[in-house]
């Protein structure tokens, strides 16, 4: 594989007959912009779930939480703190990558990943003990809907982090090439911010 | 290749294996979870099919090879970088593989979507057969319900939305000068997600209980209580939607980050604008339909209560979420068509699009307003009553930007050189049919009328007028328009016209009468109807069959032409694999945004240019507009040239002349503006030649900043001289032109102030206005006399005759200029607006003048004098006006002299 890719590059140097390289017509990087647009569409997906929440709780005047149930505000609060701190470690990883600090980058990515896993475990544990199911009532439906949708995003984010971590441990990324840390990082910060919104609307208000 | 190797390499064998494994994994997850929770029965096929519909497509995608690169990347293995060269298709087999070339993907999209178009069309034919007479003919009501639901879903999600993505995939990178899309692998993935959605929709016919039969709107709670077929719809929408979002994201990033040098946003062709705005809509709105189908899927499979009022759910919420996507979706289905029509009309009228900026702004306005009208689909749903009137008003408001577009197209056609070929026929068909559909749309926006015709055939007629007469006609226009580009061959023009006329006539005969039965109250989406509608329905059905058959003409034309059609002219598809350097000319002038070097573009080149010397020449770039002939400018250039000469350096002078932007309120043809700029340029080059400097020149973009930067990129420059009016008069100085050029080019920039009024002492500039009399003796004599009095510069304008004998006018002008040049006078000329007064007003905008000479026939013969031309000119300007009478005889002599 290694030799094949070298051979390809070699050939490309000598008889490069492709079109000229693309012109950069914007200061924004393509990968960055792509992730930003993806996040916009993700925000809208959350928006549709929040619309359901709005119709059930505000328009339909449903009891919140449903009569006879209680939401574990404190536990979820601790979980929020875990997720917020994972954003900090993510930022540390990116800074380290930019400063050629390999240990910092690896440790930052790994700890972010572990914090994310912790968050998801706590969330699942909460599902087991919360005392109602999605099919009990619409409040349960939208509670599981929103937290579950967010959980799915955490899961996707964890996958991206896993890829970045594997690459970091296999020697990729440096001060010049750290897009593979930066772009998953943006996604992770989005997941984090989205959780704060979900936590506020579902648990606090 | 051994079987094992085949199963390892990306391709159809591995895809089949992936499909099976995917289904197995889905089944395993389902059975495993049921075992874990102790549910019975352990093997529930409804649940297995539901999970399998989600998991097996992923197996397929992995198998066919969509994720290979990403898997290698994710595991940190070395990846093979793509260089975008030579990865197009070499045989038809390459179209059945994962390919990252935007042209291949474009054709994959178009062919796939046309396949689903045919399938959806056949369903429509079956429905019309059933509806040909009252009562039950061929199919059961339940099958009928399934047919109209799948018909609409296929046409919307598998034809109209993605076929535009296909055309854009092919055309947009070429238009903006990008080597490919920004994310070619994502592009391939978005294509392969698409057929999955379509096949799942078709497979729903095999589900127990039949296909989904709720219409494409799939309103809850109807959809939450339907048999298994409905699940197919929920999941198919997710795949088609993901495909659509990924493509839109790709377009946005490509358009924002990969435009050719010099292509600013306001120079993009309108098709690019259209896809930019459409993509914004897709990225923002499509997640809402994903959400709505998730809700229905969860209610159906997990027993949740999004839509169950007895458990505090809200039924109407479905419609709000659904229409928040699906109303913008009608613009997703229309805006790219607007873009195609703009290109087609501009090309076939040989004129730049009228009101380019307004066209782009109206697209943006539609995007914004499109999000504020969704509830007009819900007037009879029992939603909040206060929401109705605002939604009615916004709905009517959105007709305004659409109207702007219609009028701009008409204005583009006006006085164009119209080539009535098949693409333009379809574009014209689109304008008329879409306008009709728009009018019935405004009718439907009116709440009482909407309540009356809700769920009747009036709505069916409206949707087909905007989606078939609108969108599909633009698709045909686009396919015919770019067929030579895509295949390298010409389609058959006669068959194209037959296709157009058959579909245009029978489209109207099919859907026109539906308005009538609709207003009479015939409900849509029902397999049977009352006897009173029998006659019209028979007519509709017969027309529909002919309408359907007309599509065969198209298919035959396309297939036969693709295989054996004559080669298209100027086709360099095979030869130009490595595209040449490109540059952008002209502000958003429609059809061709980016051109290869050496094509088009008028360039005034003086003769006898220096042979290129061995040393790198010193390049002087002169930027000037109205001041182009100013004395100070000529002298500065001369001084610079002498300095370079003393240093022993060769030098090159290039003069660029941004066209005027006519003051708002003046209606002036682009050609006149350009001609005037060319004249000013020619004068300057002549003056430079007189002082011994050979220079090149070009008329460029109206925006002086873009024009200068373009010229630097094209010609290169070591120093720049920008000549303007004095501060108070110069529009350029108000825009900080000098500083911006100095900052962005990093070159020495000299700013030269030319006071044209001060030049007057040096040279008198005379504007000569004449038509038939232009070569007449007395006029020429007068001008010669003026020439001997002192230095004069003549500008001869010829208001073109009403008869449109433009060629004659040009010939007369050339003849006159020859006479003047022969007498040693400096003169340029231009044919202008037919109305002499307008022509003079326009000319005064382009050419500085100190005096005006008007030549006419004697009183009794002159229409100009009858319309008090001289008096009007005198009243409109403070400049001295002279009048020369030339008799008809003198004029004839002059013309042959």
């Amino acid at each position: 594989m290694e030799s094949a890719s070298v051979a390809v590059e070699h050939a490309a140097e000598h008889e490069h007959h492709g079109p000229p390289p693309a012109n950069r017509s914007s200061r924004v990087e393509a990968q960055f912009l792509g992730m930003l647009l993806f996040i916009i569409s993700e925000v809208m997906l959350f928006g549709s779930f929040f619309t359901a929440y709005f119709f059930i709780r505000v328009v339909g005047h449903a009891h919140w939480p449903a009569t006879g149930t209680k939401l574990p505000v404190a536990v979820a609060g601790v979980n929020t703190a875990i997720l917020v701190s994972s954003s900090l470690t993510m930022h540390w990883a990116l800074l380290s990558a930019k400063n050629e600090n390999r240990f910092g980058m690896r440790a930052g990515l790994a700890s972010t990943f572990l914090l994310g896993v912790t968050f998801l475990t706590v969330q699942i544990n909460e599902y087991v003990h919360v005392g109602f199911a999605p099919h009990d009532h619409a409040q349960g439906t939208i509670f599981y809907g929103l937290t579950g949708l967010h959980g799915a995003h955490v899961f996707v984010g964890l996958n991206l982090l896993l890829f970045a971590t594997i690459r970091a441990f296999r020697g990729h990324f440096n001060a010049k090439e750290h897009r593979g840390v930066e772009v998953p990082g943006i996604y992770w910060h989005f997941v984090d911010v989205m959780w704060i919104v979900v936590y506020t609307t579902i648990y606090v208000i | 290749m051994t079987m094992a190797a085949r199963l390892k390499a990306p391709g159809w064998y591995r895809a089949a294996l992936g499909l099976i494994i995917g289904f197995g994994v889905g089944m395993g997850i389902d059975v495993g979870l049921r075992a874990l929770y102790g549910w019975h029965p352990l093997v529930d096929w409804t649940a297995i099919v539901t999970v399998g519909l989600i998991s097996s497509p992923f197996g397929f995608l992995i198998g066919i090879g969509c994720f290979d690169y990403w898997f290698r990347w994710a595991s940190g293995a070395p990846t093979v970088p793509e260089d975008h060269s030579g990865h197009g298709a070499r045989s038809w087999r390459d179209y059945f593989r994962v390919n990252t070339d935007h042209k291949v993907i474009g054709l994959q999209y178009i062919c796939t979507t046309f396949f689903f178009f045919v399938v959806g069309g056949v369903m429509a034919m079956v429905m019309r057969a059933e509806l040909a007479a009252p009562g039950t003919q061929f199919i059961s009501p339940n099958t009928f319900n399934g047919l109209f639901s799948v018909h609409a879903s296929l046409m919307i999600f598998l034809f109209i939305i993605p076929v535009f993505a296909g055309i854009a995939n092919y055309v947009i990178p070429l238009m903006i000068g990008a080597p490919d899309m920004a994310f070619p692998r994502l592009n391939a993935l978005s294509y392969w997600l698409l057929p999955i959605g379509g096949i799942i929709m078709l497979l729903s016919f095999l589900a127990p209980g039949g296909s989904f039969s709720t219409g494409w709107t799939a309103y809850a709670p109807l959809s939450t209580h339907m048999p298994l077929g409905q699940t197919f719809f929920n999941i198919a929408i997710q795949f088609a939607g993901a495909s659509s979002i990924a493509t839109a994201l790709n377009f946005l990033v490509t358009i924002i980050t990969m435009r050719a040098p010099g292509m600013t946003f306001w120079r993009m062709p309108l098709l690019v604008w259209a896809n930019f705005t459409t993509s914004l809509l897709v990225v923002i709105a499509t997640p809402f339909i994903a959400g709505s189908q998730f809700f229905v899927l969860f209610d159906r499979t997990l027993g949740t209560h999004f839509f169950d009022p007895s458990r505090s759910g809200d039924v109407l919420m479905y419609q709000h979420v659904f229409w928040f996507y699906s109303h913008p979706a009608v613009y997703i289905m229309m805006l790219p068509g607007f873009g195609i029509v703009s290109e087609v009309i501009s090309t076939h009228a040989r004129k730049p699009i009228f009101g380019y900026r307004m066209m782009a702004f109206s697209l943006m306005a539609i995007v914004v307003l499109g999000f504020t009208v969704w509830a007009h689909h819900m007037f009879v749903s029992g939603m909040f009553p206060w929401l109705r009137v605002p939604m009615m008003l916004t709905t009517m408001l959105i007709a305004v930007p659409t109207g702007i577009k219609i009028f701009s197209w008409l204005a583009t056609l006006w006085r164009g050189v119209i080539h009535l070929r098949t693409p333009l026929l379809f574009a014209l068909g689109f304008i008329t049919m879409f306008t009709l559909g728009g009018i019935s749309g405004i009718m439907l926006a009116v709440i009482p009328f909407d309540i009356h015709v809700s769920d009747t055939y009036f709505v069916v007629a409206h949707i087909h007028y905007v989606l078939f007469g609108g969108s599909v006609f633009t698709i045909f226009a686009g396919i015919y328009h770019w067929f030579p580009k895509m295949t390298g061959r010409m389609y058959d023009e006669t068959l194209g016209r037959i296709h157009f006329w058959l579909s245009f006539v029978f489209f109207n005969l099919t859907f026109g009468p539906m308005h009538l039965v609709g207003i009479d109250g015939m409900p849509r989406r029902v397999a049977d109807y009352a006897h009173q509608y029998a006659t019209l329905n028979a007519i509709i059905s017969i027309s529909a069959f002919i309408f359907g058959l007309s599509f065969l003409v198209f298919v035959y034309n396309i297939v036969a032409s693709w295989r054996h059609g004559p080669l298209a002219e100027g086709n360099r598809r095979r030869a130009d694999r490595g595209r040449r350097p490109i540059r952008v000319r002209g502000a958003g002038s429609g059809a061709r945004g980016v051109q290869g070097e050496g094509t088009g573009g008028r360039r005034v080149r003086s003769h006898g240019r220096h042979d290129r010397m061995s040393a790198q020449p010193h390049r002087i770039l002169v930027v000037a507009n109205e001041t182009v002939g100013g004395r100070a400018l000529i002298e500065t250039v001369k001084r610079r040239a002498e300095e370079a000469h003393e240093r022993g350096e060769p030098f090159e002078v290039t003069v660029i002349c941004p066209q005027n932007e006519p003051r708002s309120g003046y209606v002036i043809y682009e050609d006149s503006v350009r001609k005037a700029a060319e004249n000013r340029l020619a004068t300057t080059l002549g003056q430079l030649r007189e002082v011994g400097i050979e220079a090149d020149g070009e008329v460029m973009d109206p925006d002086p900043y873009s024009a200068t930067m373009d010229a630097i990129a094209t010609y290169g420059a070591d120093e720049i001289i920008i000549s303007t009016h004095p501060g108070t008069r110069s529009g350029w100085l108000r825009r900080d032109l000098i500083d911006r050029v100095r900052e962005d080019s990093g070159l020495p920039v000299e700013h030269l102030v030319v006071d044209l009024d001060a030049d007057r002492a040096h040279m008198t500039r005379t504007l000569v206005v004449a038509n038939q009399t232009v070569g007449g003796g007395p006029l020429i004599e007068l001008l010669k006399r003026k020439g001997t009095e002192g230095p004069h510069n003549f500008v001869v304008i010829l208001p073109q005759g009403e008869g449109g004998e433009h060629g004659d006018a040009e010939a007369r002008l050339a003849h006159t200029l020859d006479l003047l040049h022969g007498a040693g006078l400096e003169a340029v000329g231009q044919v202008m607006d037919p109305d002499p007064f307008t022509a003079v007003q326009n000319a005064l905008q382009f050419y500085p003048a100190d005096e005006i000479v008007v030549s006419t026939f004697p009183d009794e013969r002159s229409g100009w004098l009858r319309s008090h031309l001289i008096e009007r000119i005198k009243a409109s300007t403070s400049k001295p006006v002279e009048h020369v009478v030339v008799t008809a005889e003198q004029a004839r002599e002059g013309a042959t002299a």
Side-chain angles (χ1 to χ4, degrees):
Chain A
M1 198 68 236
E2 198 77 53
S3 65
S5 100
V6 169
V8 167
E9 272 171 31
H10 201 66
E13 258 175 44
H14 283 283
E15 43 174 317
H16 181 81
H17 49 77
N23 179 50
R24 283 272 301 272
S25 56
S26 165
R27 262 166 277 185
V28 187
E29 238 182 275
Q31 281 79 0
F32 180 80
L33 186 63
M35 183 47 91
L36 214 67
L37 290 166
F38 180 59
I39 286 174
I40 290 176
S41 87
E42 292 281 47
V43 168
M44 293 308 288
L45 182 60
F46 273 95
S48 68
F49 276 73
F50 276 114
T51 310
Y53 166 85
F54 174 82
F55 271 90
I56 290 165
R57 185 168 170 184
V58 181
V59 179
H61 301 294
H63 269 280
W64 192 268
T67 331
T69 59
K70 252 182 78 180
L71 295 176
V73 181
V75 178
V78 172
N79 219 6
T80 310
I82 292 174
L83 203 59
V84 170
S85 60
S86 78
S87 252
L88 298 178
T89 55
M90 187 68 227
H91 191 63
W92 176 43
L94 180 61
L95 280 186
S96 308
K98 285 180 178 169
N99 296 330
E100 295 276 3
N101 173 0
R102 302 206 65 79
F103 168 77
M105 177 179 67
R106 288 171 183 173
L109 281 170
S111 51
T112 311
F113 181 78
L114 291 176
L115 284 168
V117 172
T118 315
F119 173 86
L120 218 49
T121 318
V122 174
Q123 186 71 44
I124 291 168
N125 186 54
E126 187 183 315
Y127 285 169
V128 175
H129 295 105
V130 76
F132 57 86
H135 49 79
D136 285 350
H137 36 64
Q139 292 95 321
T141 298
I142 196 61
F143 169 82
Y144 278 94
L146 268 169
T147 55
L149 180 70
H150 181 265
H153 282 76
V154 174
F155 181 74
V156 171
L158 282 177
N159 277 302
L160 297 180
L161 282 177
L162 184 64
F163 302 153
T165 316
I166 291 174
R167 279 176 76 80
F169 276 89
R170 294 188 69 169
H172 291 267
F173 306 134
N174 52 40
K176 276 184 193 156
E177 276 293 324
H178 49 259
R179 205 183 285 134
V181 181
E182 193 175 6
V183 173
I186 301 167
Y187 188 77
W188 191 252
H189 295 316
F190 152 71
V191 169
D192 193 359
V193 172
M194 210 63 225
W195 173 252
I196 295 174
V197 179
V198 172
Y199 177 69
T200 314
T201 43
I202 296 273
Y203 293 86
V204 178
I205 301 176
Chain B
M1 222 195 267
T2 65
M3 202 58 193
R6 275 179 178 155
L7 289 177
K8 267 187 186 166
W12 285 93
Y13 289 99
R14 205 176 74 176
L17 182 68
L19 201 61
I20 296 164
I21 294 177
F23 191 80
V25 169
M27 189 170 168
I29 291 175
D30 182 61
V31 176
L33 279 177
R34 292 181 83 89
L36 199 68
Y37 280 89
W39 288 345
H40 288 283
L42 203 57
V43 179
D44 174 358
W45 280 105
T46 310
I48 289 173
V49 167
T50 306
V51 181
L53 279 177
I54 302 167
S55 63
S56 25
F58 283 101
F60 171 82
L61 289 172
I62 293 170
I64 198 116
C66 282
F67 295 105
D68 279 26
Y69 178 94
W70 287 319
F71 283 149
R72 276 198 296 275
W73 186 91
S75 60
T79 48
V80 184
E82 226 146 336
D83 69 347
H84 302 301
S85 61
H87 60 164
R90 287 192 181 73
S91 86
W92 62 271
R93 285 192 186 83
D94 286 342
Y95 288 96
F96 291 85
R97 297 195 178 112
V98 175
N99 196 312
T100 53
D101 184 297
H102 72 97
K103 291 189 203 150
V104 175
I105 293 175
L107 287 180
Q108 284 177 325
Y109 260 111
I110 293 171
C111 295
T112 310
T113 49
F114 266 92
F115 167 76
F116 286 111
F117 182 43
V118 172
V119 176
V122 170
M123 289 177 186
M125 293 298 108
V126 177
M127 280 188 280
R128 273 332 303 182
E130 173 59 39
L131 290 173
T136 305
Q137 268 72 240
F138 309 101
I139 49 176
S140 69
N142 192 41
T143 315
F144 183 87
N145 293 349
L147 282 176
F148 72 70
S149 306
V150 181
H151 163 79
S153 309
L154 284 181
M155 290 305 195
I156 290 170
F157 297 110
L158 269 301
F159 178 57
I160 294 180
I161 293 177
V163 77
F164 281 131
I167 294 175
N169 239 306
Y170 200 101
V171 176
I172 282 193
L174 300 180
M175 276 188 161
I176 66 169
D180 205 312
M181 297 281 278
F183 306 120
R185 284 177 287 272
L186 183 67
N187 200 14
L189 175 65
S190 15
Y191 164 70
W192 284 98
L193 283 167
L194 186 72
I196 292 175
I199 287 168
I200 293 179
M201 280 186 191
L202 289 181
L203 282 180
S204 71
F205 280 101
L206 304 178
S211 158
F212 58 93
S213 49
T214 53
W216 76 282
T217 50
Y219 278 1
L222 180 62
S223 53
T224 57
H225 293 88
M226 279 284 160
L228 184 60
Q230 194 66 38
T231 304
F232 285 66
F233 175 77
N234 299 145
I235 293 170
I237 291 296
Q238 305 294 7
F239 281 103
S243 158
S244 170
I245 292 176
T247 314
L249 185 155
N250 219 335
F251 281 137
L252 284 173
V253 176
T254 309
I255 293 170
I256 292 174
T257 67
M258 291 171 74
R259 280 165 288 127
M263 179 172 281
T264 60
F265 256 74
W266 290 114
R267 287 167 157 193
M268 296 193 311
L270 280 175
L271 180 65
V272 182
W273 263 110
N275 275 281
F276 181 78
T277 44
T278 308
S279 302
L280 278 178
L281 278 174
V282 171
V283 165
I284 298 172
T286 311
F288 261 70
I289 196 173
S292 70
Q293 297 316 310
F294 275 133
F295 301 155
V296 174
L297 186 68
F298 293 159
D299 268 17
R300 292 172 53 80
T301 57
L302 302 179
T304 57
H305 301 291
F306 281 103
F307 305 119
D308 182 357
S310 66
R311 303 284 184 98
S312 317
D314 192 319
V315 177
L316 264 187
M317 184 266 285
Y318 177 87
Q319 293 186 34
H320 282 292
V321 174
F322 177 83
W323 286 115
F324 193 75
Y325 161 76
S326 294
H327 192 80
V330 309
Y331 300 108
I332 294 171
M333 291 182 262
M334 203 57 257
L335 297 191
F338 288 169
I340 291 175
V341 165
S342 298
E343 301 298 331
V344 167
I345 287 185
S346 163
T347 306
H348 287 79
R350 303 289 192 268
K351 260 180 75 188
I353 201 83
F354 179 89
Y356 166 80
R357 274 191 186 231
M358 218 48 213
M359 290 292 262
F361 277 129
S362 60
L363 287 169
M364 293 302 286
I366 290 173
V367 168
V368 175
L369 286 175
F371 282 108
T372 63
V373 299
W374 79 91
H376 68 211
H377 295 273
M378 301 167 59
F379 285 155
V380 295
S381 69
M383 64 162 182
F384 327 109
W386 57 265
L387 198 53
R388 284 178 172 186
V389 172
M391 287 290 165
M392 173 173 94
L393 293 178
T394 48
T395 306
M396 291 178 163
L397 197 61
I398 210 165
V400 174
T402 317
I404 289 175
K405 305 196 81 69
I406 300 274
F407 285 114
S408 278
W409 289 318
L410 295 180
T412 307
L413 287 166
W414 192 55
R415 290 198 176 172
V417 184
I418 291 179
H419 292 58
L420 202 61
R421 296 169 59 83
T422 313
L424 186 64
L425 281 174
F426 273 104
L428 296 179
F430 154 80
I431 294 181
T432 48
M433 294 302 97
F434 184 71
T435 305
L436 287 181
I439 290 170
S440 60
I442 291 292
M443 293 164 79
L444 285 167
V446 183
I447 299 164
F449 184 82
D450 181 81
I451 291 171
H452 176 68
V453 297
S454 215
D455 262 327
T456 66
Y457 265 81
F458 191 86
V459 178
V460 179
H462 165 71
I463 195 72
H464 285 90
Y465 265 84
V466 289
L467 280 193
F468 204 106
S471 306
V472 181
F473 273 20
T474 70
I475 292 166
F476 282 134
I479 297 286
Y480 280 114
H481 186 60
W482 282 298
F483 182 80
K485 180 83 188 158
M486 292 174 178
T487 63
R489 288 178 188 275
M490 280 307 294
Y491 58 87
D492 186 304
E493 185 64 37
T494 314
L495 286 178
R497 282 163 202 244
I498 292 174
H499 172 217
F500 169 74
W501 284 112
L502 279 179
S503 46
F504 184 77
V505 170
F506 288 98
F507 165 79
N508 277 297
L509 287 177
T510 306
F511 295 108
M514 286 189 188
H515 289 112
L516 304 178
V517 291
I519 290 182
D520 262 5
M522 176 171 163
R524 65 171 179 168
R525 294 177 168 177
V526 181
D528 192 7
Y529 52 85
H531 277 276
Q532 66 186 103
Y533 307 122
T535 319
L536 277 176
N537 268 288
I539 294 173
I540 291 173
S541 282
I542 291 165
S543 315
F545 294 141
I546 307 176
F547 181 38
L549 289 176
S550 76
F551 184 72
L552 294 181
V553 180
F554 172 76
V555 173
Y556 172 78
N557 191 359
I558 292 301
V559 172
S561 305
W562 200 335
R563 299 185 65 185
H564 309 295
L567 289 180
E569 271 174 48
N571 167 44
R572 286 184 293 170
R573 178 168 169 261
R574 301 285 168 202
D576 68 354
R577 272 256 163 69
R579 243 171 272 139
R580 292 159 190 212
I582 37 185
R583 66 184 213 248
V584 182
R585 284 165 190 279
S589 49
R592 276 163 232 93
V594 173
Q595 304 173 323
E597 179 112 46
T599 58
R602 289 181 239 176
R603 188 163 169 204
V604 182
R605 180 181 280 275
S606 57
H607 298 287
R609 186 178 166 211
H610 294 278
D611 284 331
R612 201 167 277 258
M613 296 180 218
S614 53
Q616 189 67 24
H618 185 72
R619 289 159 305 182
I620 304 171
L621 182 66
V622 180
V623 185
N625 193 353
E626 284 110 333
T627 60
V628 75
R631 194 158 46 92
L633 178 62
I634 304 289
E635 277 165 12
T636 309
V637 175
K638 193 178 158 196
R639 198 172 63 244
R640 282 309 154 90
E642 279 163 3
E643 283 167 17
H645 194 69
E646 277 162 25
R647 288 198 302 273
E649 264 180 345
F651 63 91
E652 271 177 12
V653 179
T654 309
V655 183
I656 63 161
C657 200
Q659 318 176 15
N660 277 52
E661 279 178 287
R663 247 177 275 158
S664 50
Y666 283 82
V667 178
I668 298 174
Y669 293 117
E670 175 128 336
D671 273 354
S672 308
V673 178
R674 186 146 195 130
K675 192 79 210 298
E678 277 175 11
N679 273 331
R680 284 196 305 273
L681 181 61
T683 315
T684 308
L685 295 182
Q687 286 173 340
L688 284 173
R689 205 175 302 127
E690 263 174 36
V691 296
I693 299 170
E694 291 294 339
D696 261 3
E698 184 171 8
V699 173
M700 296 188 88
D701 197 275
D703 175 45
Y705 172 76
S706 307
T708 311
M709 298 311 280
D710 280 355
I712 294 172
T714 314
Y715 300 108
D718 297 309
E719 68 174 305
I720 302 170
I721 299 172
I722 299 181
S723 153
T724 67
H725 290 300
T728 48
R729 258 194 77 189
S730 168
W732 290 7
L733 288 183
R734 283 196 289 277
R735 280 183 262 172
D736 300 329
L737 175 68
I738 314 287
D739 292 337
R740 279 165 69 204
V741 170
R742 191 173 285 149
E743 215 162 272
D744 294 350
S745 68
L747 295 168
V749 177
E750 181 175 349
H751 175 207
L752 196 68
V753 176
V754 176
D755 190 348
L756 287 176
D757 297 330
D759 274 5
R760 192 182 299 172
H762 170 69
M763 181 181 271
T764 316
R765 288 150 309 179
T766 310
L767 185 68
V768 182
V769 188
N771 186 6
Q772 307 280 341
T773 60
V774 74
L779 178 61
I780 301 289
E781 285 311 314
L782 173 72
L783 299 184
K784 280 182 184 166
R785 199 170 62 242
K786 280 178 175 293
T788 53
E789 281 166 10
H792 262 78
N793 185 359
F794 296 103
V795 177
V796 183
I797 61 167
L798 221 77
Q800 175 197 343
E802 292 288 3
E805 2 62 281
H806 202 281
D808 291 355
E810 292 279 9
R812 279 202 306 280
L813 177 62
H815 182 64
T816 309
L817 291 178
D818 276 350
L819 283 179
L820 292 174
H821 289 156
L825 297 176
E826 212 172 287
V828 292
Q830 181 174 2
V831 174
M832 291 189 89
D833 197 280
D835 174 50
F837 183 71
T838 313
V840 171
Q841 294 303 310
N842 289 348
L844 287 176
Q845 288 225 357
F846 301 135
Y847 304 103
D850 305 314
E851 55 178 7
I852 301 171
V853 174
V854 185
S855 155
T856 63
F857 286 126
D859 275 349
E860 67 278 8
R861 270 209 60 186
S862 168
W864 288 10
L865 290 182
R866 280 198 298 279
S867 64
H868 308 290
L869 175 67
I870 311 287
E871 289 79 358
R872 280 156 71 207
I873 295 179
K874 277 184 179 157
S876 73
T877 172
S878 58
K879 298 179 169 71
V881 181
E882 268 179 83
H883 179 207
V884 184
V885 175
V886 178
T887 63
E889 230 159 82
Q890 286 166 326
R892 260 199 305 280
E893 280 165 23
T896 53

